[in-house]
């Protein structure tokens, strides 16, 4: 199946209002262009240098989403153009995004990445730490950041009950935090190639799909 056919198949399964981030990390620009020509506009990358290089050579109406772990010293590489940083997992990173977005005179959408999976290695806020950080009010005084919602990666397992538990946890966290941030807080980013149909059951508004569109990544 071509990239276009795979995309069309996925689009047809997404309810109205659910955004698709086509995760193009490790895939060449030609493949991104195939998806672009089919009509896809939102692309996700996990490494800031790769993201900046691709953004420089590809069409300017692509909305780039940073989905991988981001070091504070790399924020400036992507701040001038990135549409969303979906992997915000520390107060230092929040502060740096505010600083760099202000320099570029932009407002950057962010998602708070929360750790709900079993693996210790997974990134994201511990929910208690995130609650404490939100309670400081720091996020409410950053005019160049718009907090759009939460993101997580479910446990990597064949046990569907664990994946469902993770999605229920993040869904509960999304509902818990929503009143603090108000109307702009509308994004629950869950679901990847293997688990997005389940994520949709838990109210995902943004799925992040790589392999099912572009095939296996060659690292
Ligand atoms: C790589 C990645 C994806 C896409 O994973 P696939 O299994 O290829 O669909 C989604 N989200 C994040 C955060 C990723 O790093």
């Amino acid at each position: 199946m071509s990239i276009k056919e795979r995309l069309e198949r996925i689009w047809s399964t997404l309810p109205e209002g659910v955004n698709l981030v086509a995760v193009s990390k490790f895939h060449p620009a030609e493949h991104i262009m195939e998806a672009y020509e089919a009509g896809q506009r939102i692309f996700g990358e996990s490494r800031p240098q790769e993201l900046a290089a691709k953004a420089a050579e590809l069409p300017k109406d692509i909305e780039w989403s940073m989905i991988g772990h981001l070091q504070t010293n790399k924020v400036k590489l992507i701040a001038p153009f990135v549409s969303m940083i979906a992997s915000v997992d520390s107060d230092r990173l929040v502060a740096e995004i505010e600083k760099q977005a202000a320099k570029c005179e932009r407002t950057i959408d962010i998602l708070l990445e929360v750790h709900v999976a079993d693996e210790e290695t997974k990134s994201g806020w511990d929910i208690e730490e995130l609650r404490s950080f939100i309670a400081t009010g720091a996020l409410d005084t950053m005019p160049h950041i718009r907090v759009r919602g939460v993101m997580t990666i479910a446990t990597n397992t064949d046990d569907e009950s664990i994946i469902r538990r993770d999605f229920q946890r993040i869904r509960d966290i999304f509902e818990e935090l929503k009143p603090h941030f108000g109307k702009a807080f509308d994004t629950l980013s869950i679901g990847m190639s293997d688990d997005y149909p389940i994520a949709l059951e838990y109210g995902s508004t943004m799925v992040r799909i790589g392999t099912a569109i572009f095939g296996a990544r060659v690292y």
Side-chain angles (χ1 to χ4, degrees):
M1 236 192 299
S2 68
I3 287 173
K4 181 170 191 267
E5 286 165 332
R6 288 178 183 163
L7 265 175
E8 282 168 350
R9 182 177 283 195
I10 292 166
W11 287 334
S12 73
T13 66
L14 297 181
E16 183 82 30
V18 175
N19 288 311
L20 169 64
V21 179
V23 178
S24 50
K25 62 190 187 194
F26 294 91
H27 293 288
E30 307 92 84
H31 294 182
I32 299 176
M33 276 312 293
E34 262 184 76
Y36 178 87
E37 275 155 13
Q40 178 65 28
R41 287 295 177 274
I42 310 174
F43 291 88
E45 289 280 337
S46 61
R47 299 183 299 179
Q49 286 95 337
E50 182 177 348
L51 174 50
K54 285 173 171 170
E57 75 172 290
L58 286 160
K60 296 304 165 212
D61 63 339
I62 288 179
E63 296 171 37
W64 292 102
S65 189
M66 175 67 197
I67 61 167
H69 180 68
L70 181 57
Q71 289 174 282
T72 51
N73 63 350
K74 300 287 163 58
V75 174
K76 57 179 173 300
L77 287 178
I78 60 172
F81 65 87
V82 76
S83 290
M84 175 176 272
I85 300 178
S87 45
V88 175
D89 60 359
S90 76
D91 48 356
R92 284 181 56 236
L93 183 56
V94 166
E96 181 65 14
I97 295 169
E98 169 61 24
K99 181 176 151 192
Q100 296 299 334
K103 266 193 196 164
C104 304
E105 297 181 20
R106 302 186 66 222
T107 301
I108 297 179
D109 284 353
I110 69 163
L111 299 180
L112 301 166
E113 182 177 359
V114 187
H115 181 260
V116 298
D118 283 338
E119 298 105 325
E120 289 292 332
T121 50
K122 286 252 161 83
S123 49
W125 298 84
D126 168 83
I127 183 59
E128 289 303 332
E129 284 169 21
L130 178 58
R131 285 191 188 111
S132 310
F133 176 59
I134 290 172
T136 66
L139 279 166
D140 311 326
T141 61
M142 297 188 175
H144 302 90
I145 284 181
R146 193 156 63 133
V147 184
R148 294 293 306 275
V150 292
M151 183 273 253
T152 203
I153 304 174
T155 305
N156 185 10
T157 173
D158 292 332
D159 185 343
E160 194 177 304
S161 68
I162 293 178
I163 296 169
R164 287 180 179 277
R165 178 206 63 187
D166 288 351
F167 288 158
Q168 185 63 52
R169 282 181 180 166
I170 192 72
R171 168 73 193 247
D172 291 345
I173 291 166
F174 177 62
E175 299 296 343
E176 174 194 327
L177 302 183
K178 204 192 267 184
H180 183 91
F181 294 104
K183 232 172 69 201
F185 196 85
D186 60 3
T187 304
L188 174 58
S189 179
I190 48 174
M192 306 175 21
S193 292
D194 289 338
D195 59 18
Y196 80 89
I198 306 173
L200 293 172
E201 290 181 40
Y202 289 81
S204 176
T205 69
M206 179 179 277
V207 293
R208 311 175 309 268
I209 300 179
T211 310
I213 299 170
F214 297 108
R217 288 177 285 275
V218 181
Y219 294 104

